[in-house]
Amino acid sequence: MFVITFHLLVFYDLIVVIILATASSKVESSSWRDFFFGNGWKSFTSNRDARILPIFTLIPVGITLCSAPSGEYGNCLPNKDCALRGGIPAGPCAGGYGICCVFLQTCGGVVRENSTYFVNPNHPDTYDGTGSCQITVQKLHPDICQLRLDLDMFSIAQPEATNHLCTQDQLLISGSSPVPTICGSSSGDHMYVDAGLGQSNPIVISVITSGTFPRIWRIRVTQIHCGSINRADQGCLQYYTSISGRVKSFNFNTVSGRQLSNQDYSVCIRTERNFCGIQYNACPDLENNPPRSFTISGNSNEEVGTMVGGGTQMTEDACIQDWLLIGCMRSADRIPPISACEDRVCGGIFSAEIGMVQKTVQSRLSSCIHLHTH
């Protein structure tokens, strides 16, 4: 399991950044008027007394998300539409002209609204039942290419202790491209799921439970259009769009978490303009010594160093079974920098070199990392 931070590397110098920031500040704040009226509104308003109030105010209803007091997101709809569409009213929105409507589905439900939550029975209380609880996601439009699943709350039984397999509880997704089975605790994580082509292939999201455990889950299902700027790159199970952030494996926990077996997926970071590479650091672990913020292969209860390389590099410290792949990574603080680079890292210390010291890792070749566990 791992938790690492990433920071994009700046390509251009500070002068260019300042020029870009200055140019962007000239964008007019009233661009919505251009959208509705074109440039004609400027000549109209310039001839009027600035003290005269507008006759009407445009307030969007149904095109933006709204926040409910309980923490969920809803759709801002006309008051009468929420109940007709099976939603739960959760307070006013759009200046009181609409209602924030939250949509929930549990076992046997069908998702027909965007930003619907898949919740456990008895939600928001825990659930101790057994069996299969599943929902079916129907596309809202044929031009839907992906689903984003936000695991706002997710705590089911841990994998078994010997091989770290999800034998008691499982989160399964069918009808899409392959998605690894997960279990344990992954609140705050997300997944991007390929929705396929056409509108006749529903996706089924299932939580399978057995045995006794106080489970709870609340998963927000967002449908993403094929041309949306929020669409993840092909093959990315997770996708990040900021210039810095934190990436962690599913079921990461420095106290009780266990590395999940049979994981094989990519985590992608969007390449931003004026940036040319990425730096990674292991997150601090203030609870364990040695730290457990990065433990892939090797006994994490003992001090295990960095292991790098693999594939054709069959050495004692190679990553043969489990690894985190970062394309052509090097130590960022090496002076002078070495010409060789590594692709795989595992063991108990995060670094691009064999040793016992955590180091900053830098890559200019790829904006994705790939986790593989057997």
Side-chain angles (χ1 to χ4, degrees):
M1 60 183 186
F2 69 90
V3 54
I4 57 178
T5 59
F6 67 87
H7 302 271
L8 301 188
L9 301 177
V10 178
F11 180 76
Y12 295 110
D13 58 28
L14 183 60
I15 296 177
V16 177
V17 175
I18 293 175
I19 293 174
L20 291 175
T22 304
S24 63
S25 65
K26 296 180 180 180
V27 178
E28 296 190 28
S29 59
S30 301
S31 58
W32 64 269
R33 296 186 179 91
D34 295 331
F35 178 79
F36 284 100
F37 304 112
N39 295 325
W41 71 272
K42 296 180 181 179
S43 60
F44 174 76
T45 55
S46 62
N47 296 327
R48 295 183 58 87
D49 192 326
R51 294 172 296 175
I52 300 178
L53 296 176
I55 298 175
F56 61 88
T57 302
L58 295 176
I59 300 177
V61 178
I63 60 174
T64 58
L65 292 177
C66 50
S67 298
S70 56
E72 292 101 341
Y73 287 103
N75 296 326
C76 190
L77 301 175
N79 295 340
K80 62 180 181 179
D81 287 1
C82 185
L84 291 175
R85 293 162 70 165
I88 301 173
C93 61
Y97 287 87
I99 195 75
C100 190
C101 191
V102 176
F103 295 93
L104 305 179
Q105 291 289 347
T106 188
C107 310
V110 178
V111 173
R112 295 188 175 92
E113 300 286 344
N114 210 359
S115 295
T116 295
Y117 288 89
F118 174 29
V119 298
N120 59 278
N122 304 327
H123 181 80
D125 297 327
T126 58
Y127 170 67
D128 198 19
T130 60
S132 177
C133 181
Q134 63 184 34
I135 62 168
T136 301
V137 182
Q138 298 282 2
K139 287 186 179 182
L140 303 178
H141 189 275
D143 189 37
I144 297 293
C145 280
Q146 288 179 341
L147 304 181
R148 174 175 167 130
L149 308 181
D150 285 281
L151 282 61
D152 291 354
M153 298 179 182
F154 189 81
S155 180
I156 60 178
Q158 286 283 324
E160 46 84 20
T162 303
N163 297 312
H164 295 187
L165 298 172
C166 296
T167 56
Q168 181 174 340
D169 290 0
Q170 300 175 342
L171 173 65
L172 300 177
I173 300 171
S174 58
S176 68
S177 56
V179 177
T181 300
I182 69 169
C183 57
S185 179
S186 289
S187 297
D189 292 335
H190 71 272
M191 295 180 177
Y192 281 83
V193 178
D194 181 18
L197 301 176
Q199 199 168 9
S200 60
N201 50 330
I203 294 175
V204 178
I205 307 173
S206 306
V207 177
I208 300 175
T209 58
S210 61
T212 300
F213 190 83
R215 306 167 181 90
I216 188 169
W217 67 84
R218 186 178 76 190
I219 303 173
R220 182 158 66 101
V221 182
T222 304
Q223 304 195 24
I224 301 176
H225 284 268
C226 299
S228 172
I229 60 174
N230 296 317
R231 182 183 177 185
D233 292 342
Q234 187 70 28
C236 301
L237 185 65
Q238 293 186 314
Y239 189 58
Y240 294 86
T241 58
S242 58
I243 62 174
S244 64
R246 188 177 71 167
V247 178
K248 63 187 179 75
S249 55
F250 294 109
N251 195 40
F252 176 84
N253 188 297
T254 56
V255 177
S256 59
R258 296 170 182 162
Q259 175 180 299
L260 299 179
S261 296
N262 299 328
Q263 303 293 292
D264 192 24
Y265 62 87
S266 294
V267 179
C268 304
I269 301 166
R270 187 174 67 188
T271 303
E272 302 292 348
R273 182 178 298 176
N274 300 335
F275 291 89
C276 64
I278 305 178
Q279 284 187 347
Y280 301 94
N281 291 277
C283 290
D285 179 7
L286 304 179
E287 300 170 318
N288 301 282
N289 188 21
R292 298 183 62 188
S293 56
F294 182 86
T295 54
I296 299 179
S297 294
N299 186 351
S300 60
N301 294 322
E302 299 176 0
E303 197 168 6
V304 178
T306 304
M307 304 164 66
V308 297
T312 59
Q313 304 179 38
M314 304 296 290
T315 65
E316 181 181 354
D317 296 309
C319 303
I320 304 302
Q321 294 183 323
D322 303 338
W323 62 79
L324 188 67
L325 189 150
I326 301 175
C328 197
M329 59 180 174
R330 296 183 175 92
S331 295
D333 58 355
R334 169 73 70 170
I335 299 176
I338 59 177
S339 58
C341 59
E342 300 289 351
D343 288 329
R344 298 186 186 185
V345 57
C346 59
I349 300 293
F350 184 70
S351 174
E353 304 174 22
I354 296 174
M356 300 300 297
V357 180
Q358 304 270 20
K359 291 188 176 182
T360 299
V361 167
Q362 178 177 301
S363 173
R364 295 175 181 266
L365 180 63
S366 174
S367 59
C368 289
I369 62 178
H370 189 93
L371 176 65
H372 175 89
T373 64
H374 77 292

mmCIF file of all heavy atoms in Angstrom, residues 1 3 246 251-257 283-295 300-301 358:
data_model
loop_
_atom_site.group_PDB
_atom_site.id
_atom_site.type_symbol
_atom_site.label_atom_id
_atom_site.label_comp_id
_atom_site.label_asym_id
_atom_site.label_seq_id
_atom_site.Cartn_x
_atom_site.Cartn_y
_atom_site.Cartn_z
ATOM 1 N N MET A 1 0.849 -1.175 0.000
ATOM 2 C CA MET A 1 0.000 0.000 0.000
ATOM 3 C C MET A 1 0.890 1.232 0.000
ATOM 4 O O MET A 1 2.058 1.180 0.388
ATOM 5 C CB MET A 1 -0.931 0.007 1.208
ATOM 6 C CG MET A 1 -0.237 0.011 2.556
ATOM 7 S SD MET A 1 -1.412 -0.073 3.908
ATOM 8 C CE MET A 1 -0.302 0.130 5.294
ATOM 9 N N VAL A 3 0.915 5.880 -0.061
ATOM 10 C CA VAL A 3 0.331 7.207 -0.177
ATOM 11 C C VAL A 3 1.481 8.155 -0.483
ATOM 12 O O VAL A 3 2.449 8.256 0.276
ATOM 13 C CB VAL A 3 -0.436 7.631 1.099
ATOM 14 C CG1 VAL A 3 0.428 7.526 2.336
ATOM 15 C CG2 VAL A 3 -1.001 9.043 0.936
ATOM 16 N N ARG A 246 -2.459 14.326 -3.569
ATOM 17 C CA ARG A 246 -2.052 13.106 -2.875
ATOM 18 C C ARG A 246 -2.709 11.907 -3.538
ATOM 19 O O ARG A 246 -3.906 11.919 -3.813
ATOM 20 C CB ARG A 246 -2.447 13.172 -1.402
ATOM 21 C CG ARG A 246 -1.894 12.022 -0.576
ATOM 22 C CD ARG A 246 -2.255 12.158 0.885
ATOM 23 N NE ARG A 246 -3.673 11.927 1.116
ATOM 24 C CZ ARG A 246 -4.208 11.743 2.325
ATOM 25 N NH1 ARG A 246 -3.448 11.799 3.394
ATOM 26 N NH2 ARG A 246 -5.501 11.526 2.447
ATOM 27 N N ASN A 251 -7.767 1.049 0.275
ATOM 28 C CA ASN A 251 -7.629 0.442 1.601
ATOM 29 C C ASN A 251 -6.334 0.869 2.289
ATOM 30 O O ASN A 251 -5.809 0.144 3.134
ATOM 31 C CB ASN A 251 -7.707 -1.087 1.530
ATOM 32 C CG ASN A 251 -7.942 -1.706 2.909
ATOM 33 O OD1 ASN A 251 -8.715 -1.201 3.715
ATOM 34 N ND2 ASN A 251 -7.269 -2.803 3.199
ATOM 35 N N PHE A 252 -5.811 2.041 1.940
ATOM 36 C CA PHE A 252 -4.606 2.509 2.615
ATOM 37 C C PHE A 252 -4.940 2.944 4.034
ATOM 38 O O PHE A 252 -5.877 3.699 4.278
ATOM 39 C CB PHE A 252 -3.969 3.682 1.872
ATOM 40 C CG PHE A 252 -2.783 4.249 2.604
ATOM 41 C CD1 PHE A 252 -1.537 3.674 2.449
ATOM 42 C CD2 PHE A 252 -2.930 5.317 3.478
ATOM 43 C CE1 PHE A 252 -0.442 4.169 3.137
ATOM 44 C CE2 PHE A 252 -1.846 5.813 4.169
ATOM 45 C CZ PHE A 252 -0.591 5.237 4.001
ATOM 46 N N ASN A 253 -4.148 2.450 4.981
ATOM 47 C CA ASN A 253 -4.252 2.858 6.387
ATOM 48 C C ASN A 253 -2.968 2.422 7.077
ATOM 49 O O ASN A 253 -2.607 1.248 7.041
ATOM 50 C CB ASN A 253 -5.474 2.225 7.055
ATOM 51 C CG ASN A 253 -5.723 2.772 8.446
ATOM 52 O OD1 ASN A 253 -4.906 2.609 9.346
ATOM 53 N ND2 ASN A 253 -6.873 3.413 8.621
ATOM 54 N N THR A 254 -2.270 3.360 7.701
ATOM 55 C CA THR A 254 -0.974 3.040 8.296
ATOM 56 C C THR A 254 -1.101 2.211 9.568
ATOM 57 O O THR A 254 -0.097 1.694 10.068
ATOM 58 C CB THR A 254 -0.207 4.325 8.635
ATOM 59 O OG1 THR A 254 -1.005 5.155 9.485
ATOM 60 C CG2 THR A 254 0.144 5.094 7.368
ATOM 61 N N VAL A 255 -2.326 2.054 10.105
ATOM 62 C CA VAL A 255 -2.508 1.297 11.343
ATOM 63 C C VAL A 255 -3.072 -0.094 11.059
ATOM 64 O O VAL A 255 -2.506 -1.109 11.447
ATOM 65 C CB VAL A 255 -3.420 2.063 12.317
ATOM 66 C CG1 VAL A 255 -3.668 1.242 13.584
ATOM 67 C CG2 VAL A 255 -2.807 3.411 12.676
ATOM 68 N N SER A 256 -4.212 -0.147 10.349
ATOM 69 C CA SER A 256 -4.904 -1.426 10.172
ATOM 70 C C SER A 256 -5.102 -1.836 8.722
ATOM 71 O O SER A 256 -5.639 -2.904 8.449
ATOM 72 C CB SER A 256 -6.272 -1.373 10.860
ATOM 73 O OG SER A 256 -7.064 -0.325 10.318
ATOM 74 N N GLY A 257 -4.685 -1.000 7.753
ATOM 75 C CA GLY A 257 -4.905 -1.326 6.352
ATOM 76 C C GLY A 257 -4.001 -2.454 5.872
ATOM 77 O O GLY A 257 -2.902 -2.656 6.390
ATOM 78 N N CYS A 283 4.357 10.350 1.669
ATOM 79 C CA CYS A 283 3.754 11.183 2.694
ATOM 80 C C CYS A 283 4.346 10.846 4.062
ATOM 81 O O CYS A 283 4.722 9.700 4.327
ATOM 82 C CB CYS A 283 2.240 10.981 2.712
ATOM 83 S SG CYS A 283 1.408 11.653 1.257
ATOM 84 N N PRO A 284 4.430 11.817 4.975
ATOM 85 C CA PRO A 284 4.944 11.536 6.324
ATOM 86 C C PRO A 284 4.049 10.547 7.064
ATOM 87 O O PRO A 284 2.831 10.550 6.905
ATOM 88 C CB PRO A 284 4.932 12.921 6.996
ATOM 89 C CG PRO A 284 4.866 13.914 5.871
ATOM 90 C CD PRO A 284 4.103 13.240 4.780
ATOM 91 N N ASP A 285 4.661 9.687 7.863
ATOM 92 C CA ASP A 285 3.945 8.748 8.723
ATOM 93 C C ASP A 285 4.417 8.996 10.152
ATOM 94 O O ASP A 285 5.535 8.623 10.524
ATOM 95 C CB ASP A 285 4.221 7.306 8.290
ATOM 96 C CG ASP A 285 3.507 6.279 9.176
ATOM 97 O OD1 ASP A 285 2.707 6.702 10.038
ATOM 98 O OD2 ASP A 285 3.754 5.080 9.004
ATOM 99 N N LEU A 286 3.559 9.620 10.949
ATOM 100 C CA LEU A 286 3.916 9.975 12.320
ATOM 101 C C LEU A 286 3.506 8.915 13.323
ATOM 102 O O LEU A 286 3.698 9.092 14.527
ATOM 103 C CB LEU A 286 3.257 11.313 12.687
ATOM 104 C CG LEU A 286 3.569 12.500 11.753
ATOM 105 C CD1 LEU A 286 2.821 13.746 12.221
ATOM 106 C CD2 LEU A 286 5.065 12.752 11.673
ATOM 107 N N GLU A 287 2.945 7.799 12.845
ATOM 108 C CA GLU A 287 2.424 6.773 13.743
ATOM 109 C C GLU A 287 3.307 5.541 13.828
ATOM 110 O O GLU A 287 3.163 4.734 14.745
ATOM 111 C CB GLU A 287 1.013 6.354 13.293
ATOM 112 C CG GLU A 287 0.012 7.504 13.280
ATOM 113 C CD GLU A 287 -1.292 7.119 12.601
ATOM 114 O OE1 GLU A 287 -1.226 6.436 11.551
ATOM 115 O OE2 GLU A 287 -2.351 7.497 13.105
ATOM 116 N N ASN A 288 4.204 5.345 12.857
ATOM 117 C CA ASN A 288 4.994 4.112 12.808
ATOM 118 C C ASN A 288 6.473 4.416 12.598
ATOM 119 O O ASN A 288 6.834 5.402 11.961
ATOM 120 C CB ASN A 288 4.503 3.208 11.663
ATOM 121 C CG ASN A 288 3.047 2.831 11.790
ATOM 122 O OD1 ASN A 288 2.687 1.963 12.569
ATOM 123 N ND2 ASN A 288 2.192 3.491 11.010
ATOM 124 N N ASN A 289 7.308 3.552 13.147
ATOM 125 C CA ASN A 289 8.746 3.608 12.932
ATOM 126 C C ASN A 289 9.264 2.175 12.778
ATOM 127 O O ASN A 289 9.260 1.411 13.742
ATOM 128 C CB ASN A 289 9.441 4.300 14.102
ATOM 129 C CG ASN A 289 10.911 4.545 13.819
ATOM 130 O OD1 ASN A 289 11.322 4.569 12.659
ATOM 131 N ND2 ASN A 289 11.703 4.706 14.875
ATOM 132 N N PRO A 290 9.671 1.751 11.583
ATOM 133 C CA PRO A 290 9.823 2.553 10.366
ATOM 134 C C PRO A 290 8.475 2.970 9.783
ATOM 135 O O PRO A 290 7.453 2.358 10.072
ATOM 136 C CB PRO A 290 10.554 1.603 9.423
ATOM 137 C CG PRO A 290 10.164 0.240 9.884
ATOM 138 C CD PRO A 290 10.058 0.343 11.367
ATOM 139 N N PRO A 291 8.459 4.025 8.962
ATOM 140 C CA PRO A 291 7.201 4.509 8.385
ATOM 141 C C PRO A 291 6.564 3.482 7.466
ATOM 142 O O PRO A 291 7.257 2.666 6.848
ATOM 143 C CB PRO A 291 7.615 5.768 7.617
ATOM 144 C CG PRO A 291 9.068 5.558 7.323
ATOM 145 C CD PRO A 291 9.620 4.801 8.487
ATOM 146 N N ARG A 292 5.219 3.553 7.354
ATOM 147 C CA ARG A 292 4.479 2.619 6.508
ATOM 148 C C ARG A 292 3.681 3.342 5.425
ATOM 149 O O ARG A 292 2.682 2.835 4.940
ATOM 150 C CB ARG A 292 3.537 1.766 7.368
ATOM 151 C CG ARG A 292 4.241 0.900 8.405
ATOM 152 C CD ARG A 292 3.254 0.032 9.155
ATOM 153 N NE ARG A 292 2.570 -0.885 8.262
ATOM 154 C CZ ARG A 292 1.538 -1.657 8.622
ATOM 155 N NH1 ARG A 292 1.080 -1.590 9.868
ATOM 156 N NH2 ARG A 292 0.964 -2.464 7.761
ATOM 157 N N SER A 293 4.104 4.524 5.069
ATOM 158 C CA SER A 293 3.415 5.233 3.995
ATOM 159 C C SER A 293 3.686 4.610 2.630
ATOM 160 O O SER A 293 2.955 4.854 1.670
ATOM 161 C CB SER A 293 3.811 6.708 3.978
ATOM 162 O OG SER A 293 5.218 6.839 3.858
ATOM 163 N N PHE A 294 4.749 3.794 2.540
ATOM 164 C CA PHE A 294 5.035 3.069 1.305
ATOM 165 C C PHE A 294 5.537 1.682 1.681
ATOM 166 O O PHE A 294 6.637 1.516 2.200
ATOM 167 C CB PHE A 294 6.093 3.809 0.469
ATOM 168 C CG PHE A 294 6.395 3.140 -0.846
ATOM 169 C CD1 PHE A 294 5.611 3.408 -1.957
ATOM 170 C CD2 PHE A 294 7.443 2.243 -0.971
ATOM 171 C CE1 PHE A 294 5.867 2.788 -3.171
ATOM 172 C CE2 PHE A 294 7.718 1.617 -2.180
ATOM 173 C CZ PHE A 294 6.927 1.895 -3.281
ATOM 174 N N THR A 295 4.705 0.665 1.460
ATOM 175 C CA THR A 295 5.084 -0.721 1.755
ATOM 176 C C THR A 295 4.506 -1.618 0.670
ATOM 177 O O THR A 295 3.362 -2.058 0.749
ATOM 178 C CB THR A 295 4.564 -1.173 3.139
ATOM 179 O OG1 THR A 295 3.147 -0.951 3.199
ATOM 180 C CG2 THR A 295 5.220 -0.403 4.250
ATOM 181 N N SER A 300 6.422 -5.331 6.178
ATOM 182 C CA SER A 300 6.391 -3.957 6.642
ATOM 183 C C SER A 300 6.630 -3.847 8.141
ATOM 184 O O SER A 300 6.787 -2.745 8.659
ATOM 185 C CB SER A 300 5.044 -3.310 6.287
ATOM 186 O OG SER A 300 3.974 -4.013 6.885
ATOM 187 N N ASN A 301 6.636 -4.971 8.881
ATOM 188 C CA ASN A 301 6.930 -4.928 10.312
ATOM 189 C C ASN A 301 8.435 -4.916 10.576
ATOM 190 O O ASN A 301 8.870 -4.782 11.716
ATOM 191 C CB ASN A 301 6.299 -6.129 11.020
ATOM 192 C CG ASN A 301 4.786 -6.068 10.969
ATOM 193 O OD1 ASN A 301 4.199 -4.997 11.088
ATOM 194 N ND2 ASN A 301 4.153 -7.210 10.766
ATOM 195 N N GLN A 358 14.240 7.720 2.334
ATOM 196 C CA GLN A 358 13.194 8.231 1.451
ATOM 197 C C GLN A 358 13.753 9.384 0.626
ATOM 198 O O GLN A 358 14.443 10.260 1.146
ATOM 199 C CB GLN A 358 12.005 8.747 2.282
ATOM 200 C CG GLN A 358 11.400 7.731 3.229
ATOM 201 C CD GLN A 358 10.288 6.921 2.572
ATOM 202 O OE1 GLN A 358 10.204 6.845 1.357
ATOM 203 N NE2 GLN A 358 9.455 6.308 3.384
#
